[in-house]
């Protein structure tokens, strides 16, 4: 009888779980934890992306050391794709096309580092509240709900691991509560060492491979030659860059407008052969795209935002020379 009493007592203690450090009570502090955790922690895991009928599984390994962030993301379904990050440089490896695209890590990151470093202004566009605590990938996770205050952005629910703050699951929904896209870890190890072999590319680009340098150069907004004639509520210009279009095609102006969570990109390039094809709105999964021609230029606007928001920015891009 004493044995069973001792076992029951031990089970009761285990059910209580380990002692937790002081956790934040306000949702904005939780968002801050999510933002920093995705960039400062070591983790290795597998996550599933879902959008409509499309489901895709990826494996990610992330390590932080004195040289900055190191990350390898491999898509496990369909055509092989791999993204390797070393500090601020990103290599997108496409083995079937025998192509490597080199770019720089921008402000908007991939899952689970979905939130930007700066969260100022989010409360102006979203009602933010804590949801319930539930289990995701074997961890206790705090849900954070972001409800848009207008129809110019989507709603989000984020699930953060209780102790580390790492984002374990994120869901984007439309104004009717319908699922637009979802990322969710199926398994993940948080902390500990991440071996170099987990971060190394398993492909060896060599002879016959094409290397595309897509890195842009930052420029002052006043030098872009293009402006947003009518501001979109909650969105502000966060970056302006020039990006190479390829041999003899010149440069494109790349502008990014963000509310701190949603981001809408605008690419402006000279009209070329066939560039007038496909003008107007189109969607690709969670991304809405809108194209129009302005003053001899093709303006392509795209982002994970409602079509009305993407179209309003696209329709209000003006040349300073006009």
């Amino acid at each position: 009888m004493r044995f069973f009493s001792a076992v029951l007592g031990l089970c009761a203690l285990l059910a209580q779980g380990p002692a937790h450090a002081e956790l934040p009570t306000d949702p904005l502090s939780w968002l801050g934890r999510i933002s920093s955790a995705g960039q400062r922690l070591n983790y290795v895991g597998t996550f599933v992306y879902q959008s409509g009928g499309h489901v895709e599984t990826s494996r990610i390994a992330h390590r932080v050391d004195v040289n900055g962030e190191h990350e390898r993301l491999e898509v496990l379904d369909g055509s092989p794709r791999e993204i390797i990050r070393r500090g601020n440089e990103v290599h997108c490896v496409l083995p079937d096309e025998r192509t490597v695209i080199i770019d720089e890590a921008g402000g908007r990151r991939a899952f689970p580092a979905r939130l930007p470093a700066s969260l100022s202004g989010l409360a102006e566009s979203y009602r933010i509240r804590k949801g319930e605590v539930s289990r995701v990938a074997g961890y206790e996770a705090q849900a954070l709900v972001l409800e848009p205050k207008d129809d110019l952005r989507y709603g989000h629910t984020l699930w953060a691991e209780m102790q580390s703050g790492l984002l374990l699951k994120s869901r984007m929904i439309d104004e009717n509560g319908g699922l637009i896209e979802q990322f969710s870890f199926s398994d993940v190890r948080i902390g500990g060492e991440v071996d170099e072999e987990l971060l190394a590319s398993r492909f060896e680009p060599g002879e016959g491979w094409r290397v595309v340098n897509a890195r842009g150069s930052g420029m002052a907004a006043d030098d872009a030659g293009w402006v947003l004639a009518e501001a979109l509520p909650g969105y502000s210009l966060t970056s302006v860059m020039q990006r190479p279009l390829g041999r003899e095609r010149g440069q494109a102006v790349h502008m990014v407008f963000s509310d701190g969570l949603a981001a809408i990109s605008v690419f402006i390039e000279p009209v070329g052969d066939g560039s007038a094809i496909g003008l107007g709105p189109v969607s690709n999964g969670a991304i809405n795209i809108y194209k129009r021609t302005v003053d001899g230029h093709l303006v392509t606007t795209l982002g994970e935002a409602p079509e009305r928001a993407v179209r309003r920015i696209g329709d209000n891009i003006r040349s300073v020379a006009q």
Side-chain angles (χ1 to χ4, degrees):
M1 200 68 171
R2 284 183 194 169
F3 171 78
F4 287 109
S5 297
V7 170
L8 289 173
L10 177 60
C11 289
L13 287 172
L14 291 174
Q16 294 173 10
H20 295 321
E22 191 75 22
L23 297 177
T25 57
D26 64 292
L28 278 175
S29 294
W30 271 102
L31 293 181
R33 294 184 78 211
I34 294 174
S35 175
S36 62
Q39 300 176 42
R40 64 177 175 79
L41 295 177
N42 289 356
Y43 47 87
V44 177
T46 303
F47 65 83
V48 177
Y49 170 75
Q50 177 184 350
S51 178
H54 178 70
V55 178
E56 190 173 83
T57 306
S58 299
R59 182 182 295 119
I60 189 169
H62 182 270
R63 185 181 75 195
V64 179
D65 57 27
V66 293
N67 297 314
E69 291 184 73
H70 307 262
E71 185 174 281
R72 176 177 177 268
L73 188 153
E74 180 184 7
V75 179
L76 303 179
D77 304 321
S79 300
R81 282 159 289 159
E82 185 182 69
I83 298 173
I84 305 292
R85 175 176 178 174
R86 296 289 182 269
N88 202 40
E89 184 171 276
V90 176
H91 289 203
C92 180
V93 184
L94 307 172
D96 286 357
E97 288 79 29
R98 298 175 69 81
T99 299
V100 178
I101 301 172
I102 303 175
D103 202 350
E104 293 183 358
R108 176 86 169 153
R109 301 279 300 281
F111 180 85
R114 297 278 284 173
L115 294 185
S118 175
L119 300 170
S120 61
L122 272 185
E124 297 178 11
S125 301
Y126 300 88
R127 287 180 287 271
I128 306 171
R129 60 180 174 82
K130 288 171 63 178
E132 297 180 352
V133 174
S134 58
R135 280 174 60 80
V136 179
Y139 292 90
E140 294 291 307
Q142 173 65 60
L144 286 305
V145 181
L146 294 90
E147 299 173 335
K149 294 182 178 180
D150 54 31
D151 60 0
L152 299 175
R153 62 212 89 232
Y154 292 130
H156 300 261
T157 304
L158 310 173
W159 284 264
E161 198 273 316
M162 293 289 288
Q163 297 307 304
S164 66
L166 184 69
L167 184 63
L168 299 179
K169 181 177 177 180
S170 78
R171 179 180 294 166
M172 182 189 298
I173 59 173
D174 61 24
E175 60 268 25
N176 299 315
L179 178 66
I180 297 172
E181 69 173 15
Q182 177 173 286
F183 294 85
S184 182
F185 273 114
S186 55
D187 68 81
V188 62
R189 171 174 63 84
I190 304 172
E193 294 296 320
V194 177
D195 294 337
E196 185 64 33
E197 64 182 26
L198 295 176
L199 301 165
S201 174
R202 68 183 185 90
F203 304 102
E204 295 185 3
E207 186 177 350
W209 282 66
R210 184 168 61 110
V211 178
V212 178
N213 186 355
R215 284 176 289 202
S217 55
M219 62 188 308
D222 291 342
D223 296 333
W226 298 84
V227 295
L228 184 64
E230 181 182 325
L232 191 66
Y235 289 84
S236 59
L237 182 64
T238 58
S239 72
V240 182
M241 301 187 76
Q242 278 189 325
R243 291 191 177 275
L245 289 172
R247 202 176 307 171
E248 300 179 357
R249 292 184 56 204
Q251 304 264 346
V253 174
H254 178 198
M255 310 171 75
V256 179
F257 298 87
S258 177
D259 67 359
L261 187 57
I264 298 176
S265 284
V266 181
F267 294 89
I268 305 162
E269 60 186 278
V271 170
D273 294 339
S275 61
I277 298 174
L279 297 181
V282 66
S283 63
N284 182 10
I287 299 176
N288 279 297
I289 306 168
Y290 177 61
K291 295 183 178 183
R292 63 189 282 257
T293 55
V294 182
D295 194 25
H297 288 75
L298 175 67
V299 177
T300 303
T301 311
L302 59 94
E304 290 183 334
E307 180 192 324
R308 62 182 67 88
V310 172
R311 183 191 286 264
R312 278 180 60 176
I313 285 184
D315 281 338
N316 280 285
I317 291 293
R318 297 282 187 271
S319 168
V320 174
Q322 284 184 321

